[in-house]
């Protein structure tokens, strides 16, 4: 691994003119209209999940591939929700590389949008549409890379497989789960590149590139408070609404234990190394048991994105109780969104949760999520990760940070099967939450950011797959 890593770095730094990037130059300016046209076509298909209708997207992608002689297969558990798989063969001297993007999108509240959410409207250098950020940008990037590999007749050491999968937004049984279970040989790979990362921009330049190597595991639980029903005119210490409210309040203020993992440790170490002195001191302090509590508190108030990476988080999100103003209900219920660290012992965690609530009338029922398996993080010392580092240097003069995603992606299923899966993404502004991001109203992506995403994927693929 170390020897291969060194080789990748030498190739990137050498600039001898013999590197893969130089042998397969791409005129990105010339390619821009095609990227935008294909992207718009994908965005204009309403593949809101539910119901999905991802087959419509898969068919457009399949037609584009087949038009240029790349055979595409559709695999479907539900005919309206097909997954697309296409493969360019390599010599087989190295194991395959999988590039992927999901074809479904989350729904929209049309009246909250300033433009048609499926219109691919272009305005002030931005493209607005549901799916612009999540995840038709990766779909078009994968498609373009396949077309370029074919057009330029790139000789490959490993197969490059393109997967445009359905159902990522909460219905993986028709998408990645179905494929892993029924079509594993068609997508099995050494490395996979998917959504989840981003190139973080500050002061007009890319400051660092986040490549996600692991993600938190979505869990959940219902709290159900039980008590006798009764008349609203008679106060009762057994009122289920009151017991539930007290339990929710305890959970809402419970600071779950801070715990560093190998991945978070590496992330904060690398982040400290490229941050201004004050921030750097803070990121080093979080690694120091004597000072971590204070920084953790700071994160809670000012950097919630960092706060959640350090723990299994519990967030009350829904409360339901009662049906009439003058009736005490016999049951009251709340939902907890739990995002677990990958190695969390959930049985122990739920025991701790019950101890914090400390109320025998409140039942804790773990949700049957099961959508995402837990798995160890992908490595940062292999050919693929070193390729990200050399590509980031070449494109942005920026270092790479291994990231931990608080959300969930189809990488989870692949990591659980032993694939080293990485999340990369478009250029995004630094700071907590940006307008027009994934799942938000007026979701959009800057045109230049989309182009750089395609280029990033192309360079990374060429780096590890070209002979
Ligand atoms: Zn997504």
């Amino acid at each position: 691994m170390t020897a291969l890593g060194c080789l990748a770095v030498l190739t990137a730094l050498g600039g001898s003119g013999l590197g893969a990037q130089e042998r397969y130059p791409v005129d990105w300016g010339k390619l821009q209209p095609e990227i935008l046209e294909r992207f718009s076509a994908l965005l204009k298909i309403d593949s809101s999940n539910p119901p999905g209708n991802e087959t419509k997207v898969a068919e457009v992608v399949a037609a584009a591939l087949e038009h240029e002689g790349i055979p595409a297969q559709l695999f479907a558990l539900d005919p309206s929700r097909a997954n697309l798989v296409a493969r360019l063969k390599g010599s087989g001297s190295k194991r395959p590389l999988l590039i992927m993007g999901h074809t479904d999108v989350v729904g929209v509240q049309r009246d909250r949008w300033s433009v048609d959410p499926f219109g691919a409207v272009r305005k002030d250098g931005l493209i607005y549409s549901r799916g612009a950020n999540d995840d038709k940008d990766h779909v078009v990037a994968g498609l373009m890379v396949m077309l370029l590999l074919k057009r330029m007749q790139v000789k490959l050491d490993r197969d490059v497989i393109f997967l445009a999968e359905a159902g990522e937004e909460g219905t993986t049984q028709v998408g990645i789960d179905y494929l892993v279970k029924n079509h594993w040989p068609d997508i099995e790979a050494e490395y996979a590149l998917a959504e989840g990362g981003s190139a973080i921009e500050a002061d007009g330049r890319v400051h660092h590139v986040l490549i996600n190597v692991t993600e938190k595991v979505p869990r959940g639980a219902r709290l159900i408070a039980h008590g006798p029903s009764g008349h609203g005119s008679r106060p009762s210490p057994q009122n289920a609404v009151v017991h539930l409210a007290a339990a929710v309040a305890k959970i809402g203020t419970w600071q779950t234990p801070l715990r560093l993992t190998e991945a978070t440790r590496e992330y904060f170490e690398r982040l400290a190394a490229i941050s201004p002195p004050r921030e750097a001191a803070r990121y080093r302090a979080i690694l120091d048991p004597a000072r971590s509590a204070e920084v953790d508190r700071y994160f809670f108030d000012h950097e919630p994105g960092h706060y959640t990476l350090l723990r299994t988080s519990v967030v009350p999100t829904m409360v339901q109780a009662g049906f009439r103003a003058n009736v005490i209900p016999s049951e009251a219920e709340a939902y907890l969104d739990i995002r677990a660290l990958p190695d969390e012992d959930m049985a122990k965690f739920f025991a701790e949760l019950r101890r914090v609530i400390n109320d025998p009338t409140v039942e804790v029922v773990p949700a049957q999520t099961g959508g995402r398996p837990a798995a160890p993080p992908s490595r940062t010392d292999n050919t693929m990760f070193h390729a990200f580092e050399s590509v980031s240097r070449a494109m942005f003069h920026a270092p790479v940070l291994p990231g931990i995603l608080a959300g969930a992606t189809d990488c989870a299923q692949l990591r659980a099967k032993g694939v080293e899966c990485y999340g990369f993404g478009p250029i995004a502004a630094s700071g907590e939450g940006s307008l027009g991001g994934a799942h938000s109203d007026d979701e959009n992506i800057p045109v230049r950011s989309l182009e750089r995403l395609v280029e990033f994927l192309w360079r990374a693929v060429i780096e590890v797959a070209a002979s």
Side-chain angles (χ1 to χ4, degrees), residues 159-192:
D159 292 4
V160 176
I161 309 166
F162 175 37
L163 166 63
E165 82 276 24
E168 194 275 342
E169 301 288 357
T171 46
T172 50
Q173 68 275 14
V174 301
I176 196 68
D177 290 327
Y178 168 73
L179 293 163
V180 165
K181 215 193 272 171
N182 299 283
H183 294 283
W184 184 241
D186 296 292
I187 60 166
E188 185 174 10
E190 179 173 16
Y191 304 125

Side-chain angles (χ1 to χ4, degrees), residues 254-259 296 310-312 341 344 349 352:
W254 177 32
Q255 196 163 358
T256 54
L258 179 155
R259 189 154 56 82
D296 193 36
L310 293 164
R311 58 195 6 92
T312 291
L341 291 175
E344 190 69 73
F349 188 84
E352 184 63 9

Side-chain angles (χ1 to χ4, degrees), residues 11-12 15-26 152 154-157 458-467:
T11 310
S16 60
L18 295 170
Q21 309 298 343
E22 288 77 16
R23 277 183 287 127
Y24 300 107
V26 176
M152 299 173 82
V154 176
K155 288 212 164 24
L156 299 168
D157 280 339
W458 164 259
R459 285 173 174 260
V461 168
I462 283 287
E463 198 76 25
V464 300
S467 301

Side-chain angles (χ1 to χ4, degrees), residues 102 134-135 168-169 195 439:
H102 64 85
D134 183 13
D135 182 36
E168 194 275 342
E169 301 288 357
E195 65 176 334
H439 298 204

